[in-house]
Amino acid sequence: MEKLGILGVPWMFHEKRQGVALAPYAIRYTGIIGALDKMGNDIIDYHNMAFFTEMEQEAILKSKDMKAITYKAKELRDIVTDIRLENAMPIVFGGDQFISLSTIAGMQANDTEQMVIWVNAHADMEQVLQGDDLCHNVMATVIGRGPEVLETVMNQQFIKGDDICILGTRRIGQKEIDLIKNEKIMHYEMTTIDKMGFSMVTDEIIQWMAKKKGPVHLVLDVDAIDPEFTPGTDFLSQGGIYWREIRYFMKNLALSNQIQAMTFTGINPLNDEKKQNI
């Protein structure tokens, strides 16, 4: 029996994407907690965290106060660490992709050596702050190559590049590609996936996991999936992973018994069409 710690994070770090704050509520509406319970899992529901207060909205969304932003990021980080210390697998639902920095940092605490599978249309390896788009700095920060102000969230416990796999990217910049190569990150762009076939890519990732033998944190942003299947996101990018492929991938990851944490982001229910995402 698996012990699962479910947490929703209705936060947004970009004023124009307010729909992402509704993501945990939309996901819960599908009845996912009951479905997991019927599968025989031991569920600990940590519920949804509170929305930002008016003061926090002013500091984070209006003033772009990095001290306020990192304070909230560390708050979530510490909660994820506590969930793990209670011997539960953290499963975190959110809309704003920036929360994945906190969930990765939370699993990295206490000298835990984790591997990260980053399924995303974006590599998010930008090393310089990108205005409101803090999510684009997440993976650079995770490996210790991001903005110094965000690296405090990682508490100097960075992840080695060869412990990271990035899957599903398309149309990313050359600087990001060069950084990925220099850091020896396992990387599958959609063009590579199309050439190899998704089953072969999945086999290579499973073999990589088995060789490493460490706990794996799956971070899935729905924009990695083709918008034909998941239109309810802020970043629509054609040519993504097909729904059958992501299901195949998830099933094979489950069989590995190495998944110790999961983070789901990128959902904006206000952009969804006919509730395809949920």
Side-chain angles (χ1 to χ4, degrees), residues 11-18 20 52 56-66 69-70 95-99 101 124 126 128-138 147 149-150 234-235:
W11 293 354
M12 56 180 177
F13 292 89
H14 195 299
E15 193 171 13
K16 294 182 179 179
R17 302 184 192 131
Q18 297 195 19
V20 298
F52 287 161
E56 288 171 336
Q57 288 190 50
E58 178 65 32
I60 293 171
L61 300 179
K62 301 289 186 182
S63 303
K64 318 300 180 187
D65 185 337
M66 293 306 300
I69 289 169
T70 54
D96 197 303
Q97 187 185 317
F98 183 63
I99 68 168
L101 174 60
D124 293 326
E126 294 286 351
V128 179
L129 284 174
Q130 300 294 305
D132 288 346
D133 292 323
L134 296 171
C135 59
H136 294 324
N137 299 112
V138 170
V149 66
L150 294 181
D234 286 313
F235 298 103

Side-chain angles (χ1 to χ4, degrees), residues 39-237:
M39 294 171 62
N41 298 293
D42 182 10
I43 307 294
I44 303 175
D45 192 351
Y46 292 87
H47 305 287
N48 294 339
M49 297 182 71
F51 287 108
F52 287 161
T53 64
E54 289 187 9
M55 185 179 296
E56 288 171 336
Q57 288 190 50
E58 178 65 32
I60 293 171
L61 300 179
K62 301 289 186 182
S63 303
K64 318 300 180 187
D65 185 337
M66 293 306 300
K67 185 177 180 179
I69 289 169
T70 54
Y71 178 87
K72 294 303 290 185
K74 292 172 185 177
E75 179 184 340
L76 175 55
R77 175 198 67 190
D78 293 343
I79 290 173
V80 171
T81 299
D82 289 343
I83 293 173
R84 192 61 191 148
L85 289 176
E86 292 179 12
N87 296 315
M89 175 194 294
I91 299 180
V92 182
F93 303 131
D96 197 303
Q97 187 185 317
F98 183 63
I99 68 168
S100 56
L101 174 60
S102 300
T103 61
I104 292 172
M107 287 296 292
Q108 191 72 358
N110 301 317
D111 298 320
T112 300
E113 292 290 336
Q114 69 175 314
M115 300 156 62
V116 175
I117 297 179
W118 182 262
V119 186
N120 201 310
H122 307 89
D124 293 326
M125 299 291 287
E126 294 286 351
Q127 297 178 264
V128 179
L129 284 174
Q130 300 294 305
D132 288 346
D133 292 323
L134 296 171
C135 59
H136 294 324
N137 299 112
V138 170
M139 285 309 297
T141 303
V142 164
I143 62 173
R145 299 291 297 275
E148 185 176 352
V149 66
L150 294 181
E151 288 184 352
T152 61
V153 179
M154 290 297 296
N155 201 24
Q156 300 303 309
Q157 298 186 60
F158 303 114
I159 299 178
K160 294 180 294 184
D162 61 3
D163 283 336
I164 295 171
C165 174
I166 297 177
L167 175 71
T169 58
R170 42 206 187 270
R171 295 178 282 277
I172 63 174
Q174 188 60 48
K175 287 184 178 180
E176 289 185 290
I177 291 173
D178 291 341
L179 182 57
I180 288 169
K181 290 180 178 178
N182 291 338
E183 294 295 326
K184 299 179 180 178
I185 294 171
M186 196 174 190
H187 180 216
Y188 294 95
E189 293 184 279
M190 284 306 304
T191 52
T192 303
I193 293 171
D194 290 340
K195 289 176 182 177
M196 292 179 60
F198 201 83
S199 62
M200 186 175 291
V201 169
T202 299
D203 288 346
E204 284 194 358
I205 294 173
I206 295 298
Q207 291 170 15
W208 169 74
M209 291 167 56
K211 185 177 180 180
K212 290 282 186 175
K213 299 180 181 179
V216 176
H217 186 163
L218 172 66
V219 182
L220 172 61
D221 188 307
V222 299
D223 69 15
I225 304 170
D226 193 277
E228 178 183 348
F229 307 100
T230 56
T233 182
D234 286 313
F235 298 103
L236 295 176
S237 181

